[in-house]
Amino acid sequence: MSAPAPTPHADVDPRVEALVTEVIGRVADKWTMLILETLIEQGELRFTQIGKAVPGISQKMLTQTLRQMERDGLVTRTIHAVIPPRVDCRLTDLGGTLAEAFCGVWLWAAANLDRIEAARAAFDARAAKA
């Protein structure tokens, strides 16, 4: 009998595993992904410009998402003491590397769109017959 295969995460620092789980959960969040995409494409933007560029996001969700992204070191917010107050946001180097990492998902989706749609259509056709 051969020895059981090692578990894939046996030698991973539990802190790293927890961080990966947390980051994936956060970045998989619709708003974080859309804000990342907006800032990587357009660079530094005012808070209101981000709100206009991300369809459907409320001011409350934009504020909460940007604050969490700032806490994680993905975004910097610069508050200008003018009336009305102006807040500029930009990706940090860390945020840029995360955006680049997730660009692979967009590229994968674009490359496989037809295959996924065909698989879904075939599945739906089989389910309709059942």
PDB file of all heavy atoms in Angstrom, residues 29-36 38 46-67 69:
ATOM      1  N   ASP A  29     -16.518  39.880  -4.353  1.00  0.00           N
ATOM      2  CA  ASP A  29     -17.634  40.795  -4.181  1.00  0.00           C
ATOM      3  C   ASP A  29     -17.743  41.670  -5.429  1.00  0.00           C
ATOM      4  O   ASP A  29     -16.759  42.210  -5.921  1.00  0.00           O
ATOM      5  CB  ASP A  29     -17.375  41.668  -2.940  1.00  0.00           C
ATOM      6  CG  ASP A  29     -18.308  42.847  -2.840  1.00  0.00           C
ATOM      7  OD1 ASP A  29     -19.456  42.660  -2.435  1.00  0.00           O
ATOM      8  OD2 ASP A  29     -17.874  43.958  -3.187  1.00  0.00           O
ATOM      9  N   LYS A  30     -18.929  41.783  -5.921  1.00  0.00           N
ATOM     10  CA  LYS A  30     -19.199  42.516  -7.160  1.00  0.00           C
ATOM     11  C   LYS A  30     -18.639  43.933  -7.135  1.00  0.00           C
ATOM     12  O   LYS A  30     -17.992  44.380  -8.092  1.00  0.00           O
ATOM     13  CB  LYS A  30     -20.708  42.512  -7.368  1.00  0.00           C
ATOM     14  CG  LYS A  30     -21.275  43.515  -8.298  1.00  0.00           C
ATOM     15  CD  LYS A  30     -22.775  43.281  -8.381  1.00  0.00           C
ATOM     16  CE  LYS A  30     -23.556  44.503  -8.664  1.00  0.00           C
ATOM     17  NZ  LYS A  30     -24.959  44.229  -8.856  1.00  0.00           N
ATOM     18  N   TRP A  31     -18.835  44.657  -6.058  1.00  0.00           N
ATOM     19  CA  TRP A  31     -18.433  46.059  -6.021  1.00  0.00           C
ATOM     20  C   TRP A  31     -16.926  46.214  -6.014  1.00  0.00           C
ATOM     21  O   TRP A  31     -16.384  47.094  -6.687  1.00  0.00           O
ATOM     22  CB  TRP A  31     -19.067  46.773  -4.827  1.00  0.00           C
ATOM     23  CG  TRP A  31     -20.559  46.704  -4.843  1.00  0.00           C
ATOM     24  CD1 TRP A  31     -21.362  46.211  -3.852  1.00  0.00           C
ATOM     25  CD2 TRP A  31     -21.450  47.131  -5.887  1.00  0.00           C
ATOM     26  NE1 TRP A  31     -22.684  46.300  -4.227  1.00  0.00           N
ATOM     27  CE2 TRP A  31     -22.770  46.861  -5.470  1.00  0.00           C
ATOM     28  CE3 TRP A  31     -21.264  47.696  -7.152  1.00  0.00           C
ATOM     29  CZ2 TRP A  31     -23.882  47.150  -6.240  1.00  0.00           C
ATOM     30  CZ3 TRP A  31     -22.378  47.983  -7.935  1.00  0.00           C
ATOM     31  CH2 TRP A  31     -23.658  47.709  -7.473  1.00  0.00           C
ATOM     32  N   THR A  32     -16.237  45.375  -5.257  1.00  0.00           N
ATOM     33  CA  THR A  32     -14.778  45.461  -5.214  1.00  0.00           C
ATOM     34  C   THR A  32     -14.190  45.211  -6.592  1.00  0.00           C
ATOM     35  O   THR A  32     -13.301  45.934  -7.041  1.00  0.00           O
ATOM     36  CB  THR A  32     -14.205  44.462  -4.182  1.00  0.00           C
ATOM     37  OG1 THR A  32     -14.768  44.746  -2.904  1.00  0.00           O
ATOM     38  CG2 THR A  32     -12.696  44.560  -4.109  1.00  0.00           C
ATOM     39  N   MET A  33     -14.687  44.188  -7.280  1.00  0.00           N
ATOM     40  CA  MET A  33     -14.186  43.879  -8.622  1.00  0.00           C
ATOM     41  C   MET A  33     -14.420  45.052  -9.563  1.00  0.00           C
ATOM     42  O   MET A  33     -13.541  45.414 -10.339  1.00  0.00           O
ATOM     43  CB  MET A  33     -14.871  42.631  -9.182  1.00  0.00           C
ATOM     44  CG  MET A  33     -14.384  41.330  -8.602  1.00  0.00           C
ATOM     45  SD  MET A  33     -12.679  40.974  -9.023  1.00  0.00           S
ATOM     46  CE  MET A  33     -12.824  40.617 -10.764  1.00  0.00           C
ATOM     47  N   LEU A  34     -15.601  45.645  -9.516  1.00  0.00           N
ATOM     48  CA  LEU A  34     -15.917  46.751 -10.419  1.00  0.00           C
ATOM     49  C   LEU A  34     -15.094  47.995 -10.094  1.00  0.00           C
ATOM     50  O   LEU A  34     -14.652  48.712 -10.998  1.00  0.00           O
ATOM     51  CB  LEU A  34     -17.414  47.057 -10.386  1.00  0.00           C
ATOM     52  CG  LEU A  34     -18.299  45.957 -10.982  1.00  0.00           C
ATOM     53  CD1 LEU A  34     -19.765  46.273 -10.760  1.00  0.00           C
ATOM     54  CD2 LEU A  34     -18.010  45.757 -12.457  1.00  0.00           C
ATOM     55  N   ILE A  35     -14.857  48.261  -8.820  1.00  0.00           N
ATOM     56  CA  ILE A  35     -14.026  49.406  -8.436  1.00  0.00           C
ATOM     57  C   ILE A  35     -12.578  49.157  -8.855  1.00  0.00           C
ATOM     58  O   ILE A  35     -11.917  50.060  -9.386  1.00  0.00           O
ATOM     59  CB  ILE A  35     -14.154  49.705  -6.933  1.00  0.00           C
ATOM     60  CG1 ILE A  35     -15.562  50.236  -6.621  1.00  0.00           C
ATOM     61  CG2 ILE A  35     -13.094  50.709  -6.486  1.00  0.00           C
ATOM     62  CD1 ILE A  35     -15.888  50.332  -5.142  1.00  0.00           C
ATOM     63  N   LEU A  36     -12.078  47.943  -8.625  1.00  0.00           N
ATOM     64  CA  LEU A  36     -10.719  47.592  -9.078  1.00  0.00           C
ATOM     65  C   LEU A  36     -10.585  47.834 -10.579  1.00  0.00           C
ATOM     66  O   LEU A  36      -9.622  48.451 -11.038  1.00  0.00           O
ATOM     67  CB  LEU A  36     -10.412  46.122  -8.787  1.00  0.00           C
ATOM     68  CG  LEU A  36      -9.793  45.759  -7.460  1.00  0.00           C
ATOM     69  CD1 LEU A  36      -9.709  44.247  -7.323  1.00  0.00           C
ATOM     70  CD2 LEU A  36      -8.429  46.377  -7.281  1.00  0.00           C
ATOM     71  N   THR A  38     -12.396  49.722 -12.547  1.00  0.00           N
ATOM     72  CA  THR A  38     -12.511  51.139 -12.866  1.00  0.00           C
ATOM     73  C   THR A  38     -11.204  51.879 -12.588  1.00  0.00           C
ATOM     74  O   THR A  38     -10.725  52.651 -13.421  1.00  0.00           O
ATOM     75  CB  THR A  38     -13.663  51.778 -12.057  1.00  0.00           C
ATOM     76  OG1 THR A  38     -14.884  51.136 -12.429  1.00  0.00           O
ATOM     77  CG2 THR A  38     -13.778  53.263 -12.303  1.00  0.00           C
ATOM     78  N   ARG A  46     -12.004  60.896  -8.550  1.00  0.00           N
ATOM     79  CA  ARG A  46     -12.757  61.419  -7.413  1.00  0.00           C
ATOM     80  C   ARG A  46     -13.806  60.399  -7.020  1.00  0.00           C
ATOM     81  O   ARG A  46     -14.268  59.601  -7.843  1.00  0.00           O
ATOM     82  CB  ARG A  46     -13.441  62.733  -7.771  1.00  0.00           C
ATOM     83  CG  ARG A  46     -12.485  63.868  -7.950  1.00  0.00           C
ATOM     84  CD  ARG A  46     -13.232  65.133  -8.226  1.00  0.00           C
ATOM     85  NE  ARG A  46     -12.288  66.236  -8.320  1.00  0.00           N
ATOM     86  CZ  ARG A  46     -12.637  67.480  -8.528  1.00  0.00           C
ATOM     87  NH1 ARG A  46     -13.913  67.801  -8.687  1.00  0.00           N
ATOM     88  NH2 ARG A  46     -11.731  68.420  -8.603  1.00  0.00           N
ATOM     89  N   PHE A  47     -14.182  60.454  -5.754  1.00  0.00           N
ATOM     90  CA  PHE A  47     -15.205  59.561  -5.222  1.00  0.00           C
ATOM     91  C   PHE A  47     -16.442  59.576  -6.118  1.00  0.00           C
ATOM     92  O   PHE A  47     -16.974  58.531  -6.490  1.00  0.00           O
ATOM     93  CB  PHE A  47     -15.553  60.013  -3.796  1.00  0.00           C
ATOM     94  CG  PHE A  47     -16.629  59.219  -3.137  1.00  0.00           C
ATOM     95  CD1 PHE A  47     -16.344  58.066  -2.430  1.00  0.00           C
ATOM     96  CD2 PHE A  47     -17.958  59.633  -3.209  1.00  0.00           C
ATOM     97  CE1 PHE A  47     -17.346  57.336  -1.809  1.00  0.00           C
ATOM     98  CE2 PHE A  47     -18.966  58.917  -2.595  1.00  0.00           C
ATOM     99  CZ  PHE A  47     -18.654  57.768  -1.893  1.00  0.00           C
ATOM    100  N   THR A  48     -16.908  60.766  -6.487  1.00  0.00           N
ATOM    101  CA  THR A  48     -18.125  60.877  -7.298  1.00  0.00           C
ATOM    102  C   THR A  48     -17.932  60.281  -8.692  1.00  0.00           C
ATOM    103  O   THR A  48     -18.868  59.714  -9.249  1.00  0.00           O
ATOM    104  CB  THR A  48     -18.592  62.336  -7.419  1.00  0.00           C
ATOM    105  OG1 THR A  48     -17.512  63.125  -7.920  1.00  0.00           O
ATOM    106  CG2 THR A  48     -19.054  62.887  -6.086  1.00  0.00           C
ATOM    107  N   GLN A  49     -16.728  60.384  -9.231  1.00  0.00           N
ATOM    108  CA  GLN A  49     -16.458  59.805 -10.551  1.00  0.00           C
ATOM    109  C   GLN A  49     -16.521  58.283 -10.498  1.00  0.00           C
ATOM    110  O   GLN A  49     -17.006  57.642 -11.429  1.00  0.00           O
ATOM    111  CB  GLN A  49     -15.085  60.248 -11.072  1.00  0.00           C
ATOM    112  CG  GLN A  49     -15.007  61.715 -11.415  1.00  0.00           C
ATOM    113  CD  GLN A  49     -13.588  62.150 -11.739  1.00  0.00           C
ATOM    114  OE1 GLN A  49     -12.659  61.873 -10.986  1.00  0.00           O
ATOM    115  NE2 GLN A  49     -13.436  62.817 -12.878  1.00  0.00           N
ATOM    116  N   ILE A  50     -16.023  57.714  -9.410  1.00  0.00           N
ATOM    117  CA  ILE A  50     -16.096  56.251  -9.254  1.00  0.00           C
ATOM    118  C   ILE A  50     -17.562  55.835  -9.186  1.00  0.00           C
ATOM    119  O   ILE A  50     -17.975  54.876  -9.826  1.00  0.00           O
ATOM    120  CB  ILE A  50     -15.338  55.773  -8.002  1.00  0.00           C
ATOM    121  CG1 ILE A  50     -13.853  56.109  -8.117  1.00  0.00           C
ATOM    122  CG2 ILE A  50     -15.527  54.256  -7.816  1.00  0.00           C
ATOM    123  CD1 ILE A  50     -13.070  55.900  -6.835  1.00  0.00           C
ATOM    124  N   GLY A  51     -18.354  56.576  -8.404  1.00  0.00           N
ATOM    125  CA  GLY A  51     -19.779  56.271  -8.283  1.00  0.00           C
ATOM    126  C   GLY A  51     -20.485  56.288  -9.628  1.00  0.00           C
ATOM    127  O   GLY A  51     -21.350  55.450  -9.899  1.00  0.00           O
ATOM    128  N   LYS A  52     -20.118  57.223 -10.490  1.00  0.00           N
ATOM    129  CA  LYS A  52     -20.727  57.297 -11.826  1.00  0.00           C
ATOM    130  C   LYS A  52     -20.231  56.184 -12.743  1.00  0.00           C
ATOM    131  O   LYS A  52     -20.964  55.723 -13.613  1.00  0.00           O
ATOM    132  CB  LYS A  52     -20.433  58.656 -12.462  1.00  0.00           C
ATOM    133  CG  LYS A  52     -21.167  59.788 -11.793  1.00  0.00           C
ATOM    134  CD  LYS A  52     -20.777  61.126 -12.384  1.00  0.00           C
ATOM    135  CE  LYS A  52     -21.457  62.261 -11.627  1.00  0.00           C
ATOM    136  NZ  LYS A  52     -20.988  63.575 -12.080  1.00  0.00           N
ATOM    137  N   ALA A  53     -18.986  55.741 -12.541  1.00  0.00           N
ATOM    138  CA  ALA A  53     -18.397  54.717 -13.405  1.00  0.00           C
ATOM    139  C   ALA A  53     -18.819  53.299 -13.031  1.00  0.00           C
ATOM    140  O   ALA A  53     -18.665  52.377 -13.828  1.00  0.00           O
ATOM    141  CB  ALA A  53     -16.867  54.816 -13.357  1.00  0.00           C
ATOM    142  N   VAL A  54     -19.344  53.122 -11.823  1.00  0.00           N
ATOM    143  CA  VAL A  54     -19.767  51.802 -11.346  1.00  0.00           C
ATOM    144  C   VAL A  54     -21.287  51.787 -11.291  1.00  0.00           C
ATOM    145  O   VAL A  54     -21.886  52.247 -10.316  1.00  0.00           O
ATOM    146  CB  VAL A  54     -19.148  51.464  -9.965  1.00  0.00           C
ATOM    147  CG1 VAL A  54     -19.627  50.113  -9.469  1.00  0.00           C
ATOM    148  CG2 VAL A  54     -17.627  51.512 -10.036  1.00  0.00           C
ATOM    149  N   PRO A  55     -21.937  51.265 -12.337  1.00  0.00           N
ATOM    150  CA  PRO A  55     -23.394  51.315 -12.401  1.00  0.00           C
ATOM    151  C   PRO A  55     -24.068  50.572 -11.253  1.00  0.00           C
ATOM    152  O   PRO A  55     -23.679  49.463 -10.910  1.00  0.00           O
ATOM    153  CB  PRO A  55     -23.735  50.642 -13.735  1.00  0.00           C
ATOM    154  CG  PRO A  55     -22.451  50.286 -14.386  1.00  0.00           C
ATOM    155  CD  PRO A  55     -21.329  50.571 -13.446  1.00  0.00           C
ATOM    156  N   GLY A  56     -25.051  51.231 -10.658  1.00  0.00           N
ATOM    157  CA  GLY A  56     -25.871  50.587  -9.639  1.00  0.00           C
ATOM    158  C   GLY A  56     -25.337  50.659  -8.220  1.00  0.00           C
ATOM    159  O   GLY A  56     -26.029  50.262  -7.291  1.00  0.00           O
ATOM    160  N   ILE A  57     -24.127  51.158  -8.021  1.00  0.00           N
ATOM    161  CA  ILE A  57     -23.590  51.200  -6.655  1.00  0.00           C
ATOM    162  C   ILE A  57     -24.169  52.400  -5.918  1.00  0.00           C
ATOM    163  O   ILE A  57     -24.247  53.500  -6.461  1.00  0.00           O
ATOM    164  CB  ILE A  57     -22.040  51.217  -6.642  1.00  0.00           C
ATOM    165  CG1 ILE A  57     -21.516  50.925  -5.235  1.00  0.00           C
ATOM    166  CG2 ILE A  57     -21.496  52.519  -7.192  1.00  0.00           C
ATOM    167  CD1 ILE A  57     -20.040  50.595  -5.172  1.00  0.00           C
ATOM    168  N   SER A  58     -24.583  52.171  -4.686  1.00  0.00           N
ATOM    169  CA  SER A  58     -25.097  53.267  -3.865  1.00  0.00           C
ATOM    170  C   SER A  58     -23.912  53.992  -3.229  1.00  0.00           C
ATOM    171  O   SER A  58     -22.806  53.451  -3.134  1.00  0.00           O
ATOM    172  CB  SER A  58     -26.023  52.738  -2.767  1.00  0.00           C
ATOM    173  OG  SER A  58     -25.278  51.983  -1.827  1.00  0.00           O
ATOM    174  N   GLN A  59     -24.166  55.200  -2.774  1.00  0.00           N
ATOM    175  CA  GLN A  59     -23.101  55.963  -2.110  1.00  0.00           C
ATOM    176  C   GLN A  59     -22.622  55.226  -0.865  1.00  0.00           C
ATOM    177  O   GLN A  59     -21.428  55.187  -0.573  1.00  0.00           O
ATOM    178  CB  GLN A  59     -23.597  57.362  -1.753  1.00  0.00           C
ATOM    179  CG  GLN A  59     -22.497  58.244  -1.215  1.00  0.00           C
ATOM    180  CD  GLN A  59     -22.906  59.699  -1.093  1.00  0.00           C
ATOM    181  OE1 GLN A  59     -23.913  60.120  -1.633  1.00  0.00           O
ATOM    182  NE2 GLN A  59     -22.121  60.464  -0.375  1.00  0.00           N
ATOM    183  N   LYS A  60     -23.555  54.617  -0.142  1.00  0.00           N
ATOM    184  CA  LYS A  60     -23.204  53.874   1.071  1.00  0.00           C
ATOM    185  C   LYS A  60     -22.299  52.686   0.740  1.00  0.00           C
ATOM    186  O   LYS A  60     -21.281  52.468   1.401  1.00  0.00           O
ATOM    187  CB  LYS A  60     -24.479  53.382   1.768  1.00  0.00           C
ATOM    188  CG  LYS A  60     -24.212  52.563   3.010  1.00  0.00           C
ATOM    189  CD  LYS A  60     -25.504  52.074   3.639  1.00  0.00           C
ATOM    190  CE  LYS A  60     -25.211  51.191   4.833  1.00  0.00           C
ATOM    191  NZ  LYS A  60     -26.416  50.643   5.428  1.00  0.00           N
ATOM    192  N   MET A  61     -22.644  51.910  -0.301  1.00  0.00           N
ATOM    193  CA  MET A  61     -21.825  50.755  -0.675  1.00  0.00           C
ATOM    194  C   MET A  61     -20.465  51.196  -1.210  1.00  0.00           C
ATOM    195  O   MET A  61     -19.452  50.551  -0.946  1.00  0.00           O
ATOM    196  CB  MET A  61     -22.530  49.890  -1.718  1.00  0.00           C
ATOM    197  CG  MET A  61     -23.548  48.932  -1.148  1.00  0.00           C
ATOM    198  SD  MET A  61     -22.958  47.897   0.229  1.00  0.00           S
ATOM    199  CE  MET A  61     -21.572  47.057  -0.487  1.00  0.00           C
ATOM    200  N   LEU A  62     -20.444  52.291  -1.958  1.00  0.00           N
ATOM    201  CA  LEU A  62     -19.179  52.813  -2.469  1.00  0.00           C
ATOM    202  C   LEU A  62     -18.267  53.203  -1.311  1.00  0.00           C
ATOM    203  O   LEU A  62     -17.088  52.844  -1.278  1.00  0.00           O
ATOM    204  CB  LEU A  62     -19.430  54.006  -3.397  1.00  0.00           C
ATOM    205  CG  LEU A  62     -18.196  54.660  -4.006  1.00  0.00           C
ATOM    206  CD1 LEU A  62     -17.361  53.663  -4.804  1.00  0.00           C
ATOM    207  CD2 LEU A  62     -18.602  55.838  -4.883  1.00  0.00           C
ATOM    208  N   THR A  63     -18.824  53.910  -0.342  1.00  0.00           N
ATOM    209  CA  THR A  63     -18.048  54.324   0.833  1.00  0.00           C
ATOM    210  C   THR A  63     -17.526  53.105   1.588  1.00  0.00           C
ATOM    211  O   THR A  63     -16.339  53.025   1.921  1.00  0.00           O
ATOM    212  CB  THR A  63     -18.913  55.198   1.769  1.00  0.00           C
ATOM    213  OG1 THR A  63     -19.317  56.367   1.053  1.00  0.00           O
ATOM    214  CG2 THR A  63     -18.159  55.595   3.019  1.00  0.00           C
ATOM    215  N   GLN A  64     -18.404  52.138   1.875  1.00  0.00           N
ATOM    216  CA  GLN A  64     -17.999  50.950   2.627  1.00  0.00           C
ATOM    217  C   GLN A  64     -16.934  50.153   1.878  1.00  0.00           C
ATOM    218  O   GLN A  64     -15.949  49.700   2.476  1.00  0.00           O
ATOM    219  CB  GLN A  64     -19.208  50.053   2.889  1.00  0.00           C
ATOM    220  CG  GLN A  64     -20.158  50.595   3.915  1.00  0.00           C
ATOM    221  CD  GLN A  64     -21.390  49.709   4.095  1.00  0.00           C
ATOM    222  OE1 GLN A  64     -21.615  48.756   3.352  1.00  0.00           O
ATOM    223  NE2 GLN A  64     -22.206  50.039   5.077  1.00  0.00           N
ATOM    224  N   THR A  65     -17.114  49.982   0.585  1.00  0.00           N
ATOM    225  CA  THR A  65     -16.178  49.190  -0.204  1.00  0.00           C
ATOM    226  C   THR A  65     -14.826  49.877  -0.282  1.00  0.00           C
ATOM    227  O   THR A  65     -13.783  49.236  -0.092  1.00  0.00           O
ATOM    228  CB  THR A  65     -16.742  48.918  -1.612  1.00  0.00           C
ATOM    229  OG1 THR A  65     -18.030  48.305  -1.483  1.00  0.00           O
ATOM    230  CG2 THR A  65     -15.829  48.010  -2.408  1.00  0.00           C
ATOM    231  N   LEU A  66     -14.822  51.174  -0.536  1.00  0.00           N
ATOM    232  CA  LEU A  66     -13.548  51.901  -0.603  1.00  0.00           C
ATOM    233  C   LEU A  66     -12.832  51.906   0.743  1.00  0.00           C
ATOM    234  O   LEU A  66     -11.606  51.767   0.795  1.00  0.00           O
ATOM    235  CB  LEU A  66     -13.767  53.336  -1.096  1.00  0.00           C
ATOM    236  CG  LEU A  66     -14.017  53.476  -2.594  1.00  0.00           C
ATOM    237  CD1 LEU A  66     -14.475  54.895  -2.922  1.00  0.00           C
ATOM    238  CD2 LEU A  66     -12.781  53.112  -3.400  1.00  0.00           C
ATOM    239  N   ARG A  67     -13.569  52.026   1.820  1.00  0.00           N
ATOM    240  CA  ARG A  67     -12.931  51.999   3.151  1.00  0.00           C
ATOM    241  C   ARG A  67     -12.309  50.637   3.433  1.00  0.00           C
ATOM    242  O   ARG A  67     -11.210  50.551   3.981  1.00  0.00           O
ATOM    243  CB  ARG A  67     -13.936  52.364   4.237  1.00  0.00           C
ATOM    244  CG  ARG A  67     -14.181  53.854   4.254  1.00  0.00           C
ATOM    245  CD  ARG A  67     -14.875  54.305   5.512  1.00  0.00           C
ATOM    246  NE  ARG A  67     -15.065  55.754   5.445  1.00  0.00           N
ATOM    247  CZ  ARG A  67     -16.132  56.387   5.875  1.00  0.00           C
ATOM    248  NH1 ARG A  67     -17.113  55.716   6.445  1.00  0.00           N
ATOM    249  NH2 ARG A  67     -16.227  57.693   5.775  1.00  0.00           N
ATOM    250  N   MET A  69     -11.295  48.502   1.133  1.00  0.00           N
ATOM    251  CA  MET A  69     -10.152  48.398   0.226  1.00  0.00           C
ATOM    252  C   MET A  69      -8.971  49.210   0.760  1.00  0.00           C
ATOM    253  O   MET A  69      -7.817  48.778   0.648  1.00  0.00           O
ATOM    254  CB  MET A  69     -10.543  48.868  -1.181  1.00  0.00           C
ATOM    255  CG  MET A  69     -11.532  47.936  -1.873  1.00  0.00           C
ATOM    256  SD  MET A  69     -12.124  48.591  -3.453  1.00  0.00           S
ATOM    257  CE  MET A  69     -10.676  48.296  -4.493  1.00  0.00           C
TER     258      MET A  69
END
